[in-house]
Amino acid sequence: MAPSFTARIQLFLLRALGFLIGLVGRAALVLTGPKFASKTPQPVTEPLLLLSGMQLAKLIRQRKVKCIDVVQAYINRIKDVNPMINGVVKYRFEEAMKEAHAVDKKLAEKQEDEATLEKKWPFLGVPFTVKEAFQLQGMPNSSGLVNRRDAISKTDATVVALLKESGAIPLGITNCSELCMWYESSNKIYGRSNNPYDLQHTVGGSSGGEGCTLAAACSVIGVGSDIGGSIRMPAFFNGIFGHKPSPGVVPNKGQFPLAVGVQELFQCTGPMCRYAEDLTPMLKVMAGPGIKKLKLDAKVHLKDLKFYWMEHDGGSFLMSKVDQDLILAQKKVVVHIETILGASVQHVKLKKMKYSFQLWITMMSARGHDGKEPIKFVDLLGDHGKHVTPLWELIKWCLGLSVYTIPSIGLALLEEKLKYNNEKYQKFKAVEQSLRKELVEMLGDDGVFLYPSHPTVAPKHHVPLTRPFNFAYTGVFSALGFPVTQCPLGLNAKGLPLGIQVVAAPFNDHLTLAVAEYLEKTFGGWVCPGKF
């Protein structure tokens, strides 16, 4: 199954083109990029910003803290920090303050006791932010596509409505990559988001604006989506928690673009947050009726779990080598689990993991049960109206005239080269089924798999163009349909976040979430930017 010589040449040329584009982009960053006195935002000084969503909700219910003070604290932080990170791209501060007033008024009436309030509104008064790709009534919903600049949401996405019903208060919407299909959150409408641990580094994508907003303490909980790592990569690059649920649990309705056909099953909406204890309550709210598919209330005895780990994908020539910092961080986790926790730990070598990118492409190119091909990315660029010619757009981009970003143009060009091929599809579909069976049998209902979230820590802006396939470290689990929680593991010597993916068999989300809480207690979890 080794790639042909021709395929290797094509991939080499693609990476060479990406490298040249990356050099141009980085040169432009040096010459024209925003200049700040500091490379990180100021550390948090307001105590309310250092509490989890669950802690804030409890204090508000107990009337020990006013909701309006909490919301105002986050508004102040956004005003101070957002000019540097460009995470929140549209505010709704006036509406949020009115909603906070309403919460305080409700609580002042003392019509319900604390237990009733918790049952009805588990996130009462807690601020949250939403990826711009999701509908939030009155807010833009463009997914960074210039053709949709004037698209304003008339209603809420299902998960947004559920969070509102739980008492949470939206502060605004956050940046994403164009059409949510790249791991640098930059577009022609809102510009580029910056990593709060070093503004010269990427926030990831496509939920990158959400990732940096949470990491910079401009929000405490948020909504993201993931079909190849769009929750987990930003969560990793920004040192926070992000959970990709098992497929079909959390409703996707109300986001653009919305996957259809076979791909719809693999698109997952999920929670992103700074504190692990918020993951499960968020998932319970966001899943709605779908929560019945999971066992989130089951008691997890970590010592009885079987832990498996693998430090890299086995040597795919498409991906970068895994940073030593990440390997050492993973080994610290393994040693702790084995010696301190006393659980079973086994190192494994899953040979088929080196086909991660091919398996993701196989999933994305799969035809529906009716034989129809999936929606083409180039059609999404035109928003099903204007015809887009990728090669012409590349020429226009070189002249500074294209309304599209270079990753989108590159993907549209690559799409033409990756047309559905039944022979290749069947070959890699068989590999996917075999790997899935191997992992399901290995993990069972009492095992978790520790795997790198990405081969490198957050790269500098534009560098992803030279490493377009590295996302496959997260993408493979989207293709396999497994639940995954990205967990922060502190910072490296340069002050950039480290992390790890915790994977379980389908519908065993409660295992990865329990491990996430344990890792937070053991290794510290989120680290406030600016304190390094």
Side-chain angles (χ1 to χ4, degrees):
M1 298 184 72
S4 67
F5 177 74
T6 302
R8 283 179 179 268
I9 291 296
Q10 289 176 336
L11 288 169
F12 172 78
L13 292 174
L14 182 65
R15 292 184 70 169
L17 175 63
F19 180 73
L20 290 173
I21 293 170
L23 286 178
V24 172
R26 291 178 72 179
L29 174 65
V30 172
L31 294 172
T32 64
K35 304 296 189 295
F36 300 103
S38 172
K39 71 174 187 177
T40 62
Q42 290 299 310
V44 173
T45 56
E46 168 57 64
L48 289 175
L49 301 180
L50 298 174
L51 299 174
S52 70
M54 285 287 93
Q55 289 172 321
L56 286 172
K58 184 176 182 179
L59 290 173
I60 292 170
R61 284 195 303 269
Q62 292 176 340
R63 302 169 181 84
K64 292 180 179 179
V65 169
K66 286 188 175 296
C67 179
I68 193 167
D69 291 334
V70 173
V71 171
Q72 187 63 60
Y74 273 99
I75 290 174
N76 292 343
R77 178 67 176 174
I78 291 172
K79 288 180 177 179
D80 287 343
V81 172
N82 200 57
M84 299 177 76
I85 63 170
N86 190 34
V88 185
V89 293
K90 186 71 173 179
Y91 307 150
R92 62 181 304 278
F93 293 162
E94 188 176 336
E95 298 93 330
M97 289 297 282
K98 288 179 181 178
E99 290 157 11
H101 271 295
V103 170
D104 288 335
K105 184 179 178 181
K106 179 196 294 286
L107 291 171
E109 294 169 356
K110 297 183 178 180
Q111 293 182 354
E112 286 134 333
D113 59 22
E114 186 184 345
T116 303
L117 289 170
E118 183 178 10
K119 185 176 181 181
K120 283 186 176 181
W121 303 289
F123 283 100
L124 185 63
V126 177
F128 77 105
T129 41
V130 182
K131 183 180 182 179
E132 199 263 13
F134 288 86
Q135 292 175 342
L136 173 57
Q137 189 173 20
M139 294 282 105
N141 180 225
S142 68
S143 282
L145 190 65
V146 171
N147 294 352
R148 288 177 57 87
R149 184 192 295 273
D150 299 323
I152 303 297
S153 300
K154 296 180 180 179
T155 186
D156 292 323
T158 303
V159 290
V160 174
L162 289 168
L163 281 167
K164 281 185 173 182
E165 289 170 13
S166 76
I169 297 175
L171 297 174
I173 52 173
T174 56
N175 206 12
C176 59
S177 56
E178 189 171 40
L179 284 174
C180 302
M181 285 299 287
W182 185 240
Y183 70 101
E184 172 100 61
S185 290
S186 178
N187 56 70
K188 294 282 188 172
I189 297 179
Y190 304 117
R192 188 191 68 223
S193 297
N194 302 310
N195 194 304
Y197 293 92
D198 187 332
L199 300 176
Q200 300 300 312
H201 288 248
T202 182
V203 298
S206 60
S207 310
E210 196 61 44
C212 69
T213 296
L214 289 161
C218 293
S219 182
V220 64
I221 58 174
V223 176
S225 57
D226 190 314
I227 198 170
S230 289
I231 285 175
R232 290 161 288 154
M233 276 187 292
F236 166 61
F237 289 161
N238 294 281
I240 62 168
F241 292 91
H243 181 68
K244 184 197 84 67
S246 294
V249 172
V250 179
N252 292 317
K253 185 179 179 183
Q255 59 181 294
F256 179 86
L258 181 65
V260 296
V262 175
Q263 288 70 34
E264 184 177 5
L265 181 64
F266 299 96
Q267 185 175 36
C268 293
T269 297
M272 301 173 70
C273 54
R274 275 184 281 140
Y275 300 101
E277 72 169 339
D278 289 332
L279 287 169
T280 297
M282 283 187 73
L283 187 55
K284 285 182 176 180
V285 169
M286 294 170 70
I291 203 65
K292 296 175 183 177
K293 298 178 182 179
L294 303 181
K295 301 165 277 188
L296 294 187
D297 292 323
K299 179 68 175 176
V300 178
H301 300 282
L302 294 173
K303 189 176 179 180
D304 296 331
L305 292 184
K306 294 177 293 185
F307 289 83
Y308 302 89
W309 66 286
M310 188 169 165
E311 66 269 52
H312 53 70
D313 67 356
S316 169
F317 72 95
L318 294 174
M319 263 80 83
S320 302
K321 290 184 177 180
V322 177
D323 285 352
Q324 278 300 118
D325 285 349
L326 295 171
I327 292 175
L328 290 174
Q330 184 185 39
K331 287 183 177 178
K332 284 182 182 178
V333 172
V334 169
V335 169
H336 178 91
I337 289 171
E338 191 169 31
T339 60
I340 307 300
L341 181 61
S344 168
V345 182
Q346 183 180 341
H347 180 251
V348 294
K349 292 184 178 181
L350 305 175
K351 294 181 179 180
K352 298 179 185 69
M353 289 294 285
K354 66 182 179 182
Y355 300 114
S356 294
F357 174 72
Q358 291 91 331
L359 299 187
W360 185 82
I361 285 292
T362 298
M363 177 266 288
M364 291 297 288
S365 64
R367 294 186 175 186
H369 300 299
D370 56 3
K372 288 185 179 180
E373 293 185 2
I375 296 175
K376 292 182 179 180
F377 182 73
V378 71
D379 291 334
L380 289 173
L381 281 178
D383 199 16
H384 301 282
K386 176 187 173 185
H387 177 71
V388 177
T389 304
L391 186 57
W392 175 235
E393 290 300 328
L394 178 60
I395 295 169
K396 287 166 65 178
W397 181 86
C398 292
L399 299 173
L401 299 175
S402 179
V403 297
Y404 303 109
T405 60
I406 192 61
S408 291
I409 296 170
L411 180 56
L413 286 166
L414 183 62
E415 183 178 51
E416 294 181 352
K417 301 294 182 183
L418 295 175
K419 289 181 180 178
Y420 182 85
N421 178 300
N422 188 60
E423 183 180 349
K424 286 185 178 179
Y425 174 82
Q426 295 299 332
K427 178 173 73 172
F428 285 113
K429 185 64 179 175
V431 175
E432 178 260 307
Q433 291 173 341
S434 176
L435 178 58
R436 191 176 194 277
K437 182 174 182 289
E438 185 177 6
L439 273 167
V440 167
E441 290 178 351
M442 180 180 84
L443 296 173
D445 290 325
D446 61 351
V448 293
F449 180 42
L450 306 177
Y451 193 70
S453 299
H454 200 75
T456 70
V457 294
K460 287 191 174 183
H461 294 299
H462 307 294
V463 169
L465 287 166
T466 70
R467 298 290 184 270
F469 307 111
N470 280 354
F471 79 93
Y473 267 75
T474 49
V476 64
F477 299 112
S478 295
L480 295 170
F482 283 36
V484 190
T485 306
Q486 139 60 32
C487 303
L489 294 174
L491 309 179
N492 71 0
K494 294 183 179 180
L496 294 170
L498 303 167
I500 196 168
Q501 290 185 97
V502 182
V503 186
F507 306 108
N508 282 288
D509 300 51
H510 62 297
L511 301 183
T512 72
L513 296 170
V515 172
E517 290 197 42
Y518 180 78
L519 292 179
E520 179 182 48
K521 292 174 183 175
T522 306
F523 295 95
W526 169 76
V527 179
C528 182
K531 283 194 172 184
F532 177 74

